[in-house]
Amino acid sequence: MKHYNMNSVLIKDVRIFTGEEVIESGSVLVKDGVIEYVGSSAPETDLPAMTMSSSTLIPGLIDAHIHASNGQVLAIEQSFRFGVTTVLDMHNEPKNVASLKQIAAQRHDVADFKSACFGATVDKGWPESIITMHDQSEETLKKIATWPKLKNAQDVEPYVLQNIRDGCDYIKLMHESGSTLGQSFNLPSVSLQTAVVKTAHENGLLAVAHALSLHDTLEALEAGVDGLTHTFMDHPPTPELLKAYKRNQAFCIPTLSTLGSATMEGEALQHAFAHDPRVESLIGEKARANMCRCTAFAVKTSKIENAYESVRQLKAAGIDILCGSDAAGPALGTTWGLSIHQDLYLFVKHCGFTPQEALCAATSVNARKFRLNDRGLIAVGRKADLVLLDGNPLENIGDTLNLRSVWRDGYKL
C-alpha cells in the first residue's frame, strides 16, 4: 500500500471561495502541505478523497490585529480552532515572540504567528499609560521598563535594527493622544514618527500605526504609515482623511468589535457571539465572560457609527479594508478567534460589504497588504491553509461559524 503524507488530501465536490472568486463545485488537491490543483474537475490521483457537497472551502482566515498577551499559547491555539490560520501580533516582548514563533513552527494545530515585536513606544505614552491606570504590579512595571522609550530621531535606527534582530515582521507605531478616552498621554511628534516610518521602509518593512482619534490618524498618515491598525470613533470621516489615505495608499484595520466594546454599543452583539451554540466547545468560561463585558473607555461623545461611516467611506474611495480583531488576553469585549467572525458580521451588517468582500478582507487582502505571498488564496503553490464550512458564507456571513475542518499546511485539526 502506498504511503501518503498526513498533509496530502483531495477535497472534491465542494463550493470553493479562492479568496478572489467562487467555484460553485470543484476540487482542491493538496500534496505535502501545498496546493497542487484547484478547479472545477477532479484530478486523477490515488490520494484519499473527501467529498464535501453542501459545504464551502475558504482560505484560512488571517486576523490582522491581535495581542498574544504575555506570550499566551492560547492565543494561537484558540485562534486556530476558529479557522484563523495566521495571526498578526501588534506589540510583544521579544522573548514571547521567539517562543510563539517556535511553537507555531513545530505544531500544525495552532495559528502561524507574525509580530511587530516591540511597538515604537515612548515614555508615558500608549499603551503604558492605559495599562498602568489599571495595573501597577511589580511584574507589569518590570515588563514596561523593557519597552523602547524613543526620545528623538537618533533612537530610531537602533530600535528598528534591534526589532529586526528579534524577528519582527513589520513595525508598529503608537500614536495615541488619549483624547477619545478623556485622557492626555505623551504623544510622539510627527517628526519622530516620520523617522520611524522612513527607517522601517529603508529596511524593507511595513510601518503601521495605532491611533483612535481622527486627529491622531491624520498625524500618523502625515508621518507616512502604510496602514492604520484601528479606525476612529470621535468624529465622522472627512475629505482630508480620504485624501491622506489615498496619498499613502494606506490600508485600514478597523477593529470594529473592539471599538464597540469601547463605546459599550457592542455589548449585546458580544453577548450573542459569546453564547452562540456553535462556539460553546471552542472557548472557556473565562473567555466567554470577558467577551460579554465592555472596556467602556471611550468618552460619551465617541460613537460606533463614526467608525462604521469611516469604513464605508474608505471602502467607497478604494482604500483596502483588512479584518482584524484586536483580541487580547485581558481585553474585555473580545476573544481570540471568535472576534474576527464578529468583525466580519459587522462589515456586512453595517459597512456595506457583501459577504464575499468581507471574506476577501480576512484572507487575500490581508495576505497581499502584509506581503504574505504564500497564503491567503486557494491557489496552486500556496500553503494549504484552509477552512471547511457547512453552508454558504458567500450568502450568509454567519455561516463562517459553521466550522467543520481547519487545515494548516495541509494538516487537519
Side-chain angles (χ1 to χ4, degrees):
M1 180 179 292
K2 186 174 180 179
H3 173 73
Y4 298 104
N5 290 334
M6 293 288 291
N7 58 345
S8 299
V9 68
L10 172 65
I11 308 167
K12 65 178 186 177
D13 298 333
V14 66
R15 181 184 300 104
I16 302 166
F17 171 62
T18 68
E20 294 179 336
E21 60 185 10
V22 180
I23 301 172
E24 283 298 336
S25 180
S27 301
V28 174
L29 178 63
V30 175
K31 286 190 176 179
D32 299 330
V34 177
I35 297 169
E36 188 170 280
Y37 171 85
V38 183
S40 56
S41 60
E44 290 292 330
T45 180
D46 53 0
L47 278 170
M50 299 172 60
T51 301
M52 290 294 152
S53 56
S54 302
S55 296
T56 304
L57 192 69
I58 67 172
L61 302 175
I62 300 172
D63 191 333
H65 186 160
I66 74 142
H67 294 276
S69 313
N70 299 317
Q72 291 183 66
V73 180
L74 182 62
I76 54 178
E77 291 174 333
Q78 185 171 297
S79 293
F80 188 73
R81 292 200 290 268
F82 282 98
V84 178
T85 53
T86 303
V87 296
L88 307 184
D89 179 86
M90 287 296 170
H91 173 72
N92 223 317
E93 289 74 27
K95 66 176 183 178
N96 296 335
V97 173
S99 175
L100 288 169
K101 286 196 171 196
Q102 183 178 25
I103 291 168
Q106 293 172 341
R107 292 173 54 182
H108 297 285
D109 60 341
V110 299
D112 196 13
F113 185 79
K114 306 293 182 182
S115 182
C117 292
F118 277 136
T121 52
V122 298
D123 189 41
K124 295 181 174 58
W126 182 273
E128 175 186 347
S129 296
I130 191 68
I131 290 173
T132 55
M133 284 171 59
H134 305 284
D135 180 2
Q136 295 200 16
S137 66
E138 183 178 354
E139 180 183 3
T140 295
L141 294 178
K142 281 184 177 179
K143 180 175 70 173
I144 290 173
T146 69
W147 295 0
K149 300 291 176 71
L150 303 182
K151 298 182 181 67
N152 51 51
Q154 286 69 44
D155 295 337
V156 169
E157 185 173 28
Y159 153 72
V160 171
L161 294 180
Q162 184 59 52
N163 257 22
I164 291 171
R165 287 191 289 271
D166 290 334
C168 77
D169 299 286
Y170 37 86
I171 294 294
K172 169 79 177 294
L173 285 68
M174 305 296 191
H175 203 72
E176 178 57 55
S177 63
S179 60
T180 57
L181 289 72
Q183 304 289 330
S184 180
F185 302 148
N186 187 13
L187 183 68
S189 67
V190 174
S191 62
L192 177 61
Q193 302 290 46
T194 301
V196 175
V197 174
K198 180 174 182 289
T199 306
H201 288 171
E202 288 172 348
N203 285 276
L205 295 171
L206 291 172
V208 298
H210 164 105
L212 288 174
S213 71
L214 174 58
H215 171 271
D216 296 350
T217 298
L218 288 169
E219 285 201 340
L221 288 164
E222 183 183 347
V225 296
D226 301 294
L228 273 298
T229 61
H230 302 279
T231 191
F232 49 86
M233 50 193 168
D234 59 332
H235 292 287
T238 63
E240 182 185 10
L241 175 84
L242 301 179
K243 290 178 182 177
Y245 263 99
K246 286 183 177 180
R247 182 183 64 242
N248 289 29
Q249 295 185 313
F251 57 82
C252 179
I253 310 167
T255 66
L256 296 175
S257 297
T258 289
L259 300 188
S261 173
T263 67
M264 297 186 69
E265 294 166 276
E267 186 172 17
L269 188 62
Q270 292 160 211
H271 190 278
F273 270 81
H275 290 88
D276 189 305
R278 295 171 293 181
V279 312
E280 284 183 355
S281 63
L282 301 179
I283 57 173
E285 284 305 315
K286 182 179 179 181
R288 183 174 288 106
N290 267 9
M291 185 141 180
C292 291
R293 300 170 62 196
C294 291
T295 56
F297 63 54
V299 295
K300 291 184 178 179
T301 52
S302 291
K303 299 296 180 185
I304 193 63
E305 176 56 30
N306 291 331
Y308 295 157
E309 181 61 17
S310 73
V311 175
R312 291 182 203 119
Q313 290 196 23
L314 289 169
K315 177 179 181 292
I319 302 302
D320 284 315
I321 307 297
L322 283 62
C323 195
S325 67
D326 194 21
L332 302 179
T334 63
T335 192
W336 294 303
L338 177 56
S339 291
I340 197 171
H341 294 269
Q342 182 175 328
D343 265 67
L344 286 169
Y345 171 84
L346 290 170
F347 279 11
V348 175
K349 180 71 173 178
H350 293 290
C351 299
F353 284 66
T354 66
Q356 183 166 332
E357 289 171 335
L359 289 172
C360 287
T363 56
S364 57
V365 177
N366 291 3
R368 172 168 53 83
K369 298 308 291 187
F370 275 91
R371 304 170 182 172
L372 303 174
N373 299 321
D374 60 347
R375 66 197 74 191
L377 289 171
I378 300 178
V380 173
R382 298 268 175 151
K383 283 159 48 77
D385 291 358
L386 306 166
V387 182
L388 185 67
L389 304 166
D390 288 331
N392 186 0
L394 299 159
E395 293 181 353
N396 177 11
I397 196 63
D399 283 356
T400 60
L401 279 176
N402 293 339
L403 294 149
R404 186 161 183 172
S405 298
V406 184
W407 291 262
R408 184 177 149 228
D409 294 316
Y411 290 97
K412 185 165 76 77
L413 179 65

